[in-house]
């Protein structure tokens, strides 16, 4: 099963591109949603997070997002420590999920694929890009967020140049019809790559 990582900075259109792949019948694993679900369900992971951040990290068994954010975002070392707990759990869950799929390749969508080193677990990677001003405009519209808040979230991610240096493919998401065309072309390329890798080569 060929694994393809899909990433892009906030507002780049990563989820939009993921939906286009789904339209072509390719299953997409949403790492960010899964990370949230695992934090709510996986008792072992919960214990580890409590060990790092204290009992306040959970309220009635559910992650206390505000508290967790207040503990990790101002402190890169603590954020790294939390990621070091959550990412292996997500990776394991992705491996299990990927093993159940029947398609020539699967996609793992993750906001920070390069930052975490998760891309090393992938056969190929796709980066979605868009101009910074356009990304800010999209997120302000999507989330009703203020520009400064969007910029703070952006600053936690690597810039596009750093990610593009590691990506195998780049989708420039400007107009939606052109983006869909790029995804269709990429899909054909990925199918070819999956056939040349051969069945069972995973
Ligand atoms: P990401 O997952 O990278 O944060 P999304 O796919 O959620 O980004 O896109 C951010 C917002 O911008 C969404 O509301 C989406 O509908 C919109 N959007 C995405 N791509 C385009 C585009 N090419 N043109 C206009 N709006 C777009």
């Amino acid at each position: 099963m060929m694994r393809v990582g899909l990433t892009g900075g906030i507002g780049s259109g990563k989820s939009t591109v993921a939906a286009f792949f789904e339209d072509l019948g390719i299953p997409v694993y949403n790492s960010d949603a899964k990370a949230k679900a695992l934090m709510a369900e996986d008792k072992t992971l919960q214990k580890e997070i409590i060990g790092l951040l204290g009992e306040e990290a959970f309220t009635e068994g559910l992650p206390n997002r505000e508290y967790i954010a207040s503990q990790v975002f101002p402190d890169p070392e603590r954020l790294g420590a939390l990621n070091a707990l959550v990412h292996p759990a997500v990776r394991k869950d992705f491996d299990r999920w990927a093993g159940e799929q029947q398609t020539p390749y699967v996609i793992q969508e993750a906001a920070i694929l390069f930052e975490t080193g998760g891309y090393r677990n992938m056969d190929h990677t796709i980066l979605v890009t868009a101009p910074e001003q356009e990304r800010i405009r999209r997120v302000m519209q999507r989330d009703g967020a203020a520009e400064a808040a969007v910029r703070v979230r952006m600053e936690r991610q690597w810039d596009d140049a750093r990610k593009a240096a590691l990506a195998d493919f780049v989708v420039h998401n400007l107009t939606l019809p052109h983006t869909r065309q790029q995804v269709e072309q990429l899909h054909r390329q990925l199918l070819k790559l999956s056939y040349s890798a051969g069945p069972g080569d995973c």
Side-chain angles (χ1 to χ4, degrees):
M1 170 66 65
M2 194 173 85
R3 297 143 174 254
V4 179
L6 172 67
T7 192
I10 177 170
S12 61
K14 171 175 52 71
S15 305
T16 303
V17 166
F20 289 168
F21 276 104
E22 282 181 327
D23 290 346
L24 297 168
I26 296 304
V28 176
Y29 181 96
N30 183 329
S31 305
D32 303 325
K34 282 293 186 173
K36 282 188 187 143
L38 288 170
M39 282 170 74
E41 289 159 13
D42 183 330
K43 297 290 169 215
T44 311
L45 179 60
Q46 290 191 347
K47 274 196 198 128
E48 290 171 342
I49 295 172
I50 288 170
L52 178 70
L53 303 176
E55 295 284 346
E56 300 101 302
F58 292 88
T59 319
E60 291 171 15
L62 291 177
N64 180 347
R65 307 216 153 274
E66 237 168 76
Y67 173 81
I68 294 174
S70 76
Q71 294 298 300
V72 298
F73 284 132
D75 182 344
E77 256 181 48
R78 278 194 128 187
L79 177 60
L82 178 64
N83 284 339
L85 299 178
V86 177
H87 290 138
V90 173
R91 186 171 302 193
K92 203 169 127 200
D93 187 62
F94 169 75
D95 287 346
R96 178 198 53 73
W97 172 89
E100 291 169 357
Q101 308 307 312
Q102 307 288 333
T103 44
Y105 71 94
V106 295
I107 288 190
Q108 180 172 28
E109 175 189 351
I112 46 172
L113 187 71
F114 293 113
E115 290 89 333
T116 59
Y119 71 96
R120 295 193 198 98
N121 196 31
M122 298 290 122
D123 297 300
H124 302 284
T125 54
I126 303 168
L127 173 69
V128 183
T129 64
E132 188 172 294
Q133 267 313 316
E134 175 64 13
R135 289 169 53 197
I136 291 172
R137 192 193 63 74
R138 288 177 190 166
V139 178
M140 287 172 71
Q141 199 165 37
R142 183 190 65 190
D143 299 350
E147 175 163 350
V150 181
R151 286 192 182 278
V152 166
R153 288 161 72 185
M154 267 182 172
E155 278 161 16
R156 289 191 207 120
Q157 306 177 334
W158 287 7
D159 66 30
D160 278 352
R162 193 168 174 193
K163 290 188 277 201
L166 291 169
D168 297 319
F169 304 99
V170 177
V171 171
H172 299 287
N173 176 29
L174 299 173
T175 71
L176 290 173
H178 185 230
T179 296
R180 193 182 278 279
Q181 265 177 13
Q182 291 174 76
V183 169
E184 284 167 0
Q185 195 183 5
L186 201 45
H187 175 60
R188 287 193 289 273
Q189 259 177 291
L190 290 167
L191 284 177
K192 272 191 201 147
L193 284 167
S194 71
Y195 296 141
S196 61
D201 182 7
C202 48

